Amino acid sequence: LFPYTTLFRSNCKRIACFAITPQYISTIHGRVEGYREAMAAAGFKKRDELLRVIHFEHIQEDVEKYLLEFKVMTQVPDAIFALNNHIAMALLKTLKLKEFVALSKIRVACFDDLETFDIIDKKVLSVAQPMEEIGKRSSELIMDLVAGNASGSTNIVLPTKLIVR
């Protein structure tokens, strides 16, 4: 819940969530559930009101479509939490277009961190994952499975880091 807490503390009251398909993937499902839990904990009754599903096959088009929806809302979201870096990049690209200038104050948060976020003008709150460690542990698990030294079900939790810009 920590990325949402940071957004709430910075006076964001209406936080949208852009989730990627397919949603049955455990990491995406977990991120959507985290969004729902944070909205419920903050007292939002319609916690899915600002949840949008972005299809992997047409990320840019879906981001633009939902931002157009937001433009005509009486209460525009204060922030959008992109559940992966592809959505975040499409969101940043779209917010720079002149037809979306009215939405330029929307805060952007992302569950992934990119070096690009350090050099662009828009400040992006991000959750960084230990990508090298994820790759190392995944390779070790595969090797153990191939060698017959591991069962089919393993759960490893690695720490993440909140980067506030």
Side-chain angles (χ1 to χ4, degrees):
L1 302 180
F2 66 98
Y4 301 103
T5 304
T6 302
L7 290 170
F8 292 137
R9 285 187 190 139
S10 66
N11 219 20
C12 292
K13 304 288 185 229
R14 291 177 50 81
I15 302 170
C17 178
F18 282 6
I20 193 81
T21 60
Q23 288 192 324
Y24 60 79
I25 296 173
S26 64
T27 54
I28 300 303
H29 179 76
R31 292 172 191 182
V32 170
E33 287 308 306
Y35 170 76
R36 288 180 169 140
E37 289 173 22
M39 295 301 103
F44 292 99
K45 306 231 185 305
K46 296 180 183 177
R47 62 184 187 170
D48 283 354
E49 176 186 27
L50 296 173
L51 175 62
R52 300 292 188 271
V53 176
I54 307 293
H55 294 88
F56 183 78
E57 298 80 20
H58 37 86
I59 293 171
Q60 189 66 45
E61 295 87 353
D62 282 356
V63 166
E64 289 178 21
K65 175 178 74 173
Y66 294 132
L67 287 179
L68 284 170
E69 281 181 17
F70 290 167
K71 263 179 74 171
V72 298
M73 286 180 151
T74 54
Q75 289 185 302
V76 174
D78 301 310
I80 299 173
F81 200 96
L83 294 190
N84 77 7
N85 56 14
H86 300 289
I87 296 172
M89 292 305 291
L91 181 58
L92 292 167
K93 180 179 174 183
T94 304
L95 287 172
K96 290 186 76 158
L97 299 174
K98 64 181 171 187
E99 60 264 34
F100 295 101
V101 161
L103 301 176
S104 65
K105 292 190 190 248
I106 289 178
R107 299 258 338 249
V108 175
C110 179
F111 202 105
D112 276 333
D113 188 52
L114 299 173
E115 289 181 14
T116 306
F117 296 159
D118 288 327
I119 60 173
I120 59 174
D121 291 335
K122 187 126 181 109
K123 303 297 181 202
V124 178
L125 173 79
S126 64
V127 178
Q129 302 175 82
M131 298 310 288
E132 188 173 312
E133 187 67 17
I134 290 171
K136 179 181 172 195
R137 295 282 185 97
S138 298
S139 298
E140 288 170 354
L141 282 172
I142 290 169
M143 297 303 284
D144 285 345
L145 283 169
V146 169
N149 297 330
S151 65
S153 179
T154 303
N155 188 23
I156 298 173
V157 177
L158 298 173
T160 57
K161 179 182 176 186
L162 183 65
I163 301 175
V164 180
R165 293 179 180 85

